[in-house]
């Protein structure tokens, strides 16, 4: 008897099918990957199984019995839990308090207080059982992303979860943290918990899952056994067509080109960046890589002028930026593609048009009055050029898919005709097609004389895109590599065993 | 997967529901009391009655657009009225009687903004405290009594005279509404205010000067509130130290009603105008029907809550 069996599941929004005729079985103790491009119906599927949406057709069987999952509470009582990208924790509650969120606290007789001791004891037992370490006395807001993910999994296990959905759980984790998470997942699996793992990262999918279900345009493109497929055939299944796995990267002949960006001895007031020095030439894509917390994002923010610096020089095209600020940066042709699309890049309830022209509004105004016709025309050009899927320039960006939202962010960046792109995880949470479009766009910009600083946690992606790699560790730039012929191993070696180039080797000393 | 749009009439009802409600209210009163409500004179009268409310609510809408609140608008109106009446009694020239209080209000509003942006104090707290401070000053100026003696005739001009049979107040109201509609809908400044209200961090990265724009919004709001108070004093020919305080809640009621129409969920000037008109028409019509004042308050409150709930239901 299967743990979960789904037959011909349908869900429509208006006249469009979000999901149609999807069937799937999940066995206990199985890790099952769910993949597909953005908008393929993965989120809809999760929401149907966890009771957020009600299906318009089809049946769900739970342990052989037909069930009707009416709300998330219902799903939880059955033993279905979901760990989201944006974690569901109360920021100023401690780990222990969050662990018991929504559950009955063990109480003294006559409501004379909560039995914290019992809670603590139970929590410790759970931690031992799963073999993980979570600082339960810490407030959730002070925890690292991994700790928060582990805490949520702990919570799911505590309430007797039999089926666990993980939605892009490694998006903000370092490799080391990812390993820790994977060990936990294998441990859960051995205890009979079924896991549905949703991710864009195919390497992880291949490592974890036995079976992979591919969704495409709301339909089942197929369920395959891991050993029967490879990455390329899986991508083909997801896209329904061949994609060039990677456009051939042109080797930049840039050694004689002038510097676009030079950074020397940069330190931020909060010391998240302590000592950064690197440079980018015209036509170059330079990757900045490091483990989480190494200060990559902070470095970009300091250059762009939204994180105050306390010393160091930033030079743009030979001009010293003594007081960087977003306004100055935009004027000097620097754009920032922030990591947090919803929080820092887009104004979700404004239209595509309003979002795209925001930083260059002065080009569309005469004495402060907006020239709507010109603005609309240029925005529509952008939408066509970047192939943004939308109903029109007036559509609110919140109605777009993640990939299309990111295209809006790029469209806006292109509006100011920048010479330097600072990109922070620009392909996070976007589908394969958009990802390769973004890569191509940045390459074109570099070939046309632009320069790009590229931050990504995906090392494979970095090696594919960047000409050079600057490695950061604990707020400092420690070394640099040319990416030609560089292997992932040698970069990781450098990150996990950092040693400054200038420092003499201590090997062999007493 | 894109969500398919609902049928068009529902869409229309959602966007213009509040306007339709306003029209229904007018029709309702016209049927119930054709002789006194549905007359030209009464329409003119309503336009005069709502002018203060519209002006103060337009200012509140600006601050709501940037995602903040100014709770000192009522106290600022009282302050403006008393300040300007005091100056008039002193015998200052016509322009000074208006412009000095407006300038001071603008500066105080700017300080509100500065405290909110520079020290990251919640605007709720900042403006509530500022309102208390202003209330204190107003009492100090007046000794707690109404200023009505020796007010020159010129001070009453704006509040009491008419052009072509229509009160100057109504012209001022329409003019300001049109100006601020234009500012919010068609200028870079308005766009920036909406952007700040939508997402401050993203606006900052897009190169918008967050502090300057927010401070300016607070300053304009304060100046409009003071103007409402001055016009009120001018209309009455006297200034009471708490005369404007009663405008505070209706102003926000109007702005919230306004958010349910034209631009869904977004503070907007014409919406606020319609909201203020509904509140004014209700007050007028219910008074004509001899409904006691306390019942008018109950009805107004119920209508605001229902409008917001209906709009939320419509969105889902």
């Amino acid at each position: 008897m299967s743990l979960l069996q789904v037959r011909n599941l349908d869900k429509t929004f208006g006249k469009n099918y979000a999901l149609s005729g999807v069937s799937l079985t999940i066995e206990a103790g199985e890790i099952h990957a769910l993949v597909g491009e953005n908008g393929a119906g993965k989120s809809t599927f999760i929401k149907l199984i966890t009771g957020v949406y009600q299906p318009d057709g089809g049946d769900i069987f739970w342990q052989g019995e037909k069930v009707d999952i009416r709300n998330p509470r219902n799903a939880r009582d059955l033993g279905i839990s979901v760990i989201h990208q944006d974690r569901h924790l109360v920021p100023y509650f401690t780990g222990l308090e969050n662990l018991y969120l929504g559950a009955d606290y063990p109480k003294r007789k006559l409501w004379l207080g909560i039995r914290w001791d019992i809670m603590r004891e139970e929590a410790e037992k759970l931690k031992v059982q799963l073999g993980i370490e979570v600082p339960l006395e810490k407030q959730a807001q002070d925890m690292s992303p991994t700790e928060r993910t582990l805490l949520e999994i702990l919570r799911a296990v505590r309430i007797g979860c039999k089926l666990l959905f993980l939605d892009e759980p490694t998006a903000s984790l370092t490799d080391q943290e990812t390993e820790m998470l994977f060990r936990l997942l294998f441990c859960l699996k051995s205890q009979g918990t079924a896991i549905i793992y949703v991710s864009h990262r195919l390497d992880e999918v291949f490592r974890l899952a036995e079976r992979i279900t591919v969704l495409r345009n709301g339909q089942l493109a197929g369920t395959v056994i891991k050993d029967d497929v490879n990455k390329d055939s899986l991508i083909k299944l997801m896209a329904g067509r061949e994609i060039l796995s990677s456009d051939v990267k042109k080797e930049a002949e840039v050694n004689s080109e002038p510097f676009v960006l030079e950074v020397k001895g940069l330190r931020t007031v909060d010391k998240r960046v302590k000592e950064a020095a690197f440079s980018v030439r015209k036509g170059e894509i330079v990757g900045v890589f490091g483990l989480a917390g190494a200060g990559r994002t902070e470095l970009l923010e300091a250059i762009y002028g939204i994180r105050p610096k306390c010393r160091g020089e930033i030079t743009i095209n030979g001009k010293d930026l003594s007081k960087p600020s977003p306004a100055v940066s935009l004027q000097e042709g620097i754009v920032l593609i922030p990591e947090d699309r919803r929080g820092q890049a887009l104004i979700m309830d404004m239209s595509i048009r309003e979002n795209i022209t925001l930083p260059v509004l002065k080009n569309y105004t005469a004495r402060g009055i907006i020239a709507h016709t010109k603005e609309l025309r240029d925005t529509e050009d952008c939408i066509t050029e970047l192939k943004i899927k939308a109903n029109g320039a007036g559509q609110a960006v919140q109605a777009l898919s993640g990939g299309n939202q990111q295209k809006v962010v790029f469209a806006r960046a292109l509006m100011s005709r920048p010479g330097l792109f600072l990109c922070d995880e620009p392909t996070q949470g976007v589908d394969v097609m958009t990802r390769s479009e973004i890569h191509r766009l940045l390459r074109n910009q570099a070939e046309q004389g632009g320069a790009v600083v590229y931050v990504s946690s995906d090392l494979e992606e970095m090696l594919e895109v960047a000409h050079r790699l600057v490695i950061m560790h604990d707020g400092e730039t420690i070394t640099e590599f040319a990416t030609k012929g560089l292997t992932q191993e040698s970069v990781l070696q450098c990150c996990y065993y950092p040693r400054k180039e200038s420092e003499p080797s201590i090997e062999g000393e007493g | 997967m894109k969500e398919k749009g609902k049928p068009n009439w529902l869409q229309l009802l959602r966007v213009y529901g509040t306007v339709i409600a306003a029209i229904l209210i007018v029709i309702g009163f016209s049927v119930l009391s054709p002789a006194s409500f549905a007359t030209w004179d009464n329409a003119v009268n309503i336009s005069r009655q709502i002018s203060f409310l519209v002006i103060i609510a337009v200012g509140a809408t600006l601050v709501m657009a940037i995602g903040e609140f100014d709770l000192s608008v009522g106290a600022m109106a009282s302050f403006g009225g008393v300040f300007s009446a005091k100056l008039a009694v002193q015998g200052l020239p016509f322009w000074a009687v208006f412009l000095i209080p407006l300038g001071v209000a603008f500066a105080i509003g700017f300080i509100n903004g500065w405290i909110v942006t520079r020290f990251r104090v919640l605007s709720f707290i900042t403006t509530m405290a500022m309102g208390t401070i202003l209330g204190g000053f107003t009492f100090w100026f007046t000794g707690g009594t109404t200023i009505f003696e020796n007010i020159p005739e010129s001070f009453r001009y704006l509040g009491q005279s008419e052009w072509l049979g229509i009160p100057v107040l109504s012209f001022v109201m329409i003019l300001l509404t049109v100006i601020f509609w234009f500012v919010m809908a068609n200028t870079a400044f308005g766009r920036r205010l909406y952007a700040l209200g939508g997402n401050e961090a993203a606006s900052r990265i897009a190169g918008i000067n967050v502090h300057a724009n927010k401070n300016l919004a607070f300053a304009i709001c304060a100046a409009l509130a003071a103007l409402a108070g001055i016009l009120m004093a001018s209309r009455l020919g006297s200034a009471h130290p708490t005369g404007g305080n009663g405008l505070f809640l209706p102003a926000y009621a109007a702005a919230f009603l306004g958010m349910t129409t034209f631009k869904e969920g977004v503070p907007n000037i014409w919406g606020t105008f319609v909201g203020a008109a509904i509140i004014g028409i209700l007050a007028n019509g219910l008074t004509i029907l001899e409904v006691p004042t306390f019942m008018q308050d109950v009805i107004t409150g119920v209508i605001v809550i229902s409008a917001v709930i209906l709009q939320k239901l419509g969105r889902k």
Side-chain angles (χ1 to χ4, degrees):
Chain A
M1 182 178 59
S2 303
L3 181 66
L4 174 76
Q5 193 175 13
V6 174
R7 275 189 213 151
N8 287 322
L9 210 57
D10 284 337
K11 176 71 191 172
T12 53
F13 292 113
K15 283 178 192 158
N16 291 353
Y17 274 96
L19 215 56
S20 105
V22 170
S23 301
L24 192 63
T25 49
I26 306 288
E27 307 295 336
E30 154 179 64
I31 300 183
H32 195 115
L34 186 62
V35 297
E37 291 188 26
N38 287 349
K42 292 170 301 192
S43 316
T44 310
F45 180 77
I46 298 179
K47 284 177 178 160
L48 287 172
I49 304 299
T50 53
V52 177
Y53 294 157
Q54 302 307 307
D56 296 319
D59 299 313
I60 301 173
F61 295 89
W62 179 253
Q63 294 178 326
E65 258 174 69
K66 188 171 178 322
V67 286
D68 186 11
I69 303 170
R70 288 181 304 277
N71 54 47
R73 175 99 207 180
N74 234 216
R76 224 176 61 178
D77 292 343
L78 287 175
I80 304 173
S81 288
V82 57
I83 313 286
H84 276 294
Q85 267 165 307
D86 39 353
R87 299 170 183 82
H88 292 169
L89 297 170
V90 181
Y92 46 85
F93 271 21
T94 65
L96 193 63
E97 286 165 327
N98 269 303
L99 186 60
Y100 279 81
L101 204 65
D104 272 336
Y105 285 16
K107 284 176 281 279
R108 290 180 206 284
K109 273 184 199 148
L110 302 170
W111 287 77
L112 291 173
I114 295 165
R115 295 291 304 269
W116 293 103
D117 49 335
I118 293 186
M119 286 163 65
R120 221 166 277 130
E121 219 171 277
E122 270 187 25
E124 287 305 321
K125 238 186 264 168
L126 262 178
K127 273 164 43 177
V128 173
Q129 183 198 334
L130 296 176
I132 52 168
E133 188 38 58
V134 186
L136 288 175
E137 68 292 343
K138 237 198 242 178
Q139 288 187 7
Q141 58 192 352
D142 299 329
M143 292 185 178
S144 70
T146 335
E147 287 170 342
R148 288 197 283 250
T149 304
L150 293 180
L151 177 61
E152 281 216 79
I153 295 178
L154 208 59
R155 183 164 73 188
V157 174
R158 204 196 72 78
I159 57 174
C161 160
K162 298 191 188 82
L163 173 64
L164 186 64
F165 280 95
L166 286 143
D167 190 2
E168 295 281 354
T170 58
S172 51
L173 305 191
T174 60
D175 290 344
Q176 214 172 2
E177 292 165 338
T178 304
E179 286 307 316
M180 192 160 44
L181 178 69
F182 285 7
R183 273 202 303 279
L184 173 61
L185 296 186
F186 283 123
C187 170
L188 286 174
K189 169 186 153 76
S190 70
Q191 292 174 12
T193 309
I195 293 165
I196 298 186
Y197 192 85
V198 180
S199 180
H200 286 301
R201 301 188 172 182
L202 299 184
D203 290 328
E204 294 178 358
V205 165
F206 275 100
R207 272 195 55 194
L208 286 170
E210 291 105 61
R211 292 194 299 158
I212 304 168
T213 290
V214 182
L215 292 179
R216 190 202 310 147
N217 291 332
Q219 290 177 332
L220 194 69
T223 296
V224 293
I225 293 171
K226 176 180 66 177
D227 298 328
D228 296 349
V229 286
N230 60 24
K231 224 164 135 181
D232 285 339
S233 57
L234 198 61
I235 290 176
K236 210 156 64 182
L237 204 55
M238 281 159 67
R241 60 192 175 272
E242 294 259 14
I243 302 176
L244 293 175
S245 65
S246 148
D247 304 42
V248 180
K249 175 172 62 187
K250 274 194 194 155
E251 275 316 310
E253 304 271 342
V254 290
N255 289 333
S256 55
E257 295 285 349
F259 287 116
V260 174
L261 170 72
E262 288 175 87
V263 175
K264 280 181 201 145
L266 183 67
R267 171 178 291 189
T268 57
V269 174
D270 57 14
K271 296 209 176 122
R272 298 292 293 272
V273 177
K274 290 176 190 152
E275 180 74 48
F278 74 107
S279 56
V280 186
R281 286 181 193 269
K282 210 173 150 189
E284 239 188 342
I285 300 179
V286 172
V288 176
F289 186 78
L291 305 175
R296 302 167 299 184
T297 298
E298 291 80 359
L299 176 63
L300 297 191
E301 288 179 350
I303 296 170
Y304 192 70
I306 49 173
R307 187 173 288 268
K309 70 175 176 110
C310 64
R311 65 174 174 80
E313 282 171 36
I314 301 167
T315 315
I316 298 293
N317 296 318
K319 192 170 158 192
D320 188 41
L321 281 194
S322 50
K323 284 187 95 179
S325 74
V328 172
S329 294
L330 287 166
Q331 204 183 323
E332 297 298 328
I334 309 173
V335 289
L336 176 69
I337 311 288
E339 178 178 9
D340 181 359
R341 194 157 53 226
R342 304 177 69 92
Q344 293 200 292
L346 293 172
I347 292 151
M348 301 307 285
D349 55 9
M350 280 183 129
S351 66
I352 299 174
R353 171 171 65 121
E354 289 167 317
N355 268 286
I356 287 181
T357 57
L358 197 58
V360 291
L361 213 46
K362 64 173 185 298
N363 300 350
Y364 293 95
T365 53
R367 292 200 212 96
I369 298 166
I370 298 169
H372 287 290
T373 329
K374 186 177 169 222
E375 190 194 16
L376 187 64
R377 198 180 54 223
D378 285 7
T379 315
E380 278 168 351
D381 288 348
C382 274
I383 292 175
T384 323
E385 201 180 311
L386 290 180
K387 302 190 194 92
I388 299 171
K389 276 182 215 150
N391 292 340
Q395 196 176 12
V397 292
Q398 62 194 355
L400 303 179
S401 73
N404 281 305
Q405 285 176 358
Q406 189 69 329
K407 285 185 183 176
V408 173
V409 177
F410 271 94
R412 170 203 283 178
L414 291 171
M415 287 301 268
S416 53
R417 310 203 172 287
L420 175 65
F421 286 80
L422 306 172
C423 303
D424 196 358
E425 304 279 5
T427 56
Q428 196 179 80
V430 308
D431 55 90
V432 185
M433 289 301 288
T434 308
R435 184 181 139 115
S436 62
E437 277 171 31
I438 288 174
H439 288 171
R440 200 172 313 134
L441 182 143
L442 289 173
R443 260 182 218 129
N444 285 342
Q445 289 291 318
E447 277 161 24
Q448 288 162 20
V452 180
V453 180
Y454 200 97
V455 166
S456 169
S457 308
D458 186 343
L459 188 49
E460 201 182 330
E461 179 186 13
M462 294 281 261
L463 292 176
E464 190 185 311
V465 175
H467 299 114
R468 265 191 305 136
L469 220 52
V470 173
I471 309 296
M472 283 191 85
H473 183 266
D474 197 21
E476 298 180 25
T477 50
I478 50 171
T479 187
E480 256 185 56
F481 298 105
T483 50
K484 199 176 178 182
L486 188 66
T487 61
Q488 293 197 33
E489 288 68 30
S490 49
V491 175
L492 289 174
Q493 191 82 14
C494 176
C495 291
Y496 286 115
Y497 307 100
R499 193 168 58 209
K500 267 197 109 165
E501 267 180 336
S502 52
E503 283 171 14
S505 163
I506 52 163
E507 276 171 68
E509 283 178 21
Chain B
M1 300 294 107
K2 279 191 203 86
E3 203 162 334
K4 196 79 173 89
K6 301 230 169 68
N8 273 343
W9 61 270
L10 207 72
Q11 182 80 20
L12 275 178
L13 193 65
R14 246 162 62 190
V15 178
Y16 296 105
T18 310
V19 181
I20 295 167
I23 295 168
L24 288 179
I25 290 170
V26 170
I27 294 172
F29 282 131
S30 304
V31 171
L32 289 172
S33 179
S36 8
F37 183 82
T39 62
W40 171 251
D41 282 351
N42 193 40
V44 168
N45 193 22
I46 290 174
S47 83
R48 181 177 19 228
Q49 283 168 354
I50 65 170
S51 59
F52 316 114
L53 182 58
V54 168
I55 293 169
I56 201 167
V58 162
T61 307
L62 250 63
V63 175
M64 279 171 68
I66 58 169
E68 305 281 0
F69 279 99
D70 186 346
L71 305 189
S72 66
V73 287
M76 182 56 88
S78 306
F79 176 82
V82 165
F83 193 2
S84 137
K86 266 274 182 198
L87 294 179
V89 172
Q90 304 284 321
L92 263 72
F94 182 75
W95 60 267
V97 166
F98 284 91
L99 290 188
I100 292 175
L102 286 185
V104 171
F106 190 87
I108 294 172
F110 202 87
I111 293 171
N112 272 336
W114 180 70
I115 295 170
V116 170
T117 52
R118 172 70 181 77
F119 302 102
R120 294 167 190 266
V121 181
L122 288 179
S123 59
F124 251 84
I125 299 170
T126 308
T127 56
M128 193 161 53
M130 188 58 84
T132 313
I133 293 171
L134 286 172
F137 273 118
T138 310
F139 263 83
W140 185 27
F141 285 166
T142 57
T145 57
T146 305
I147 303 171
F148 63 94
E149 287 168 333
N150 303 323
I151 288 186
E153 197 53 43
S154 65
F155 182 70
R156 303 180 188 190
Y157 178 76
L158 280 180
Q160 297 186 357
S161 49
E162 296 181 348
W163 295 338
L164 310 169
I166 293 169
V168 176
L169 284 175
S170 309
F171 283 108
V172 172
M173 165 183 78
I174 294 291
L175 183 70
L176 286 172
T177 308
V178 170
I179 288 176
F180 281 96
W181 158 74
F182 187 82
V183 166
M184 293 309 279
N186 292 302
T187 69
F189 175 62
R191 182 74 63 83
R192 289 191 189 110
L193 294 190
Y194 279 128
L196 283 167
N199 186 339
E200 196 173 311
S203 304
R204 185 162 161 243
I205 287 179
I208 292 174
N209 187 333
V210 176
H211 290 203
N213 284 292
K214 282 188 125 176
N215 294 352
L216 199 53
F218 274 103
I220 294 172
C221 171
L224 285 174
L227 179 63
I230 295 168
L231 293 176
M232 206 174 198
S234 168
R235 163 86 190 133
L236 299 172
S238 66
H240 188 267
T242 58
N245 293 23
L247 286 174
F248 163 53
L249 286 174
Y252 278 97
F256 279 116
L257 270 177
M259 280 172 69
T260 63
T261 193
F262 300 125
K263 291 179 83 175
E264 281 174 78
V266 178
N268 66 92
I269 301 294
W270 282 115
T272 298
F273 182 85
V274 171
I278 289 180
I279 291 170
I281 293 167
L282 276 175
N284 175 283
L286 292 171
T287 306
I288 290 174
L289 295 178
E290 291 173 355
V291 174
T293 322
F294 62 84
M295 269 320 285
Q296 295 183 19
D297 288 348
V298 172
I299 292 169
T300 308
V302 167
I303 284 186
V304 171
I305 293 176
S306 326
V308 176
I309 291 176
L310 281 176
Q311 196 245 349
K312 295 235 177 214
L313 289 180
R315 287 189 108 175
K316 281 198 174 159

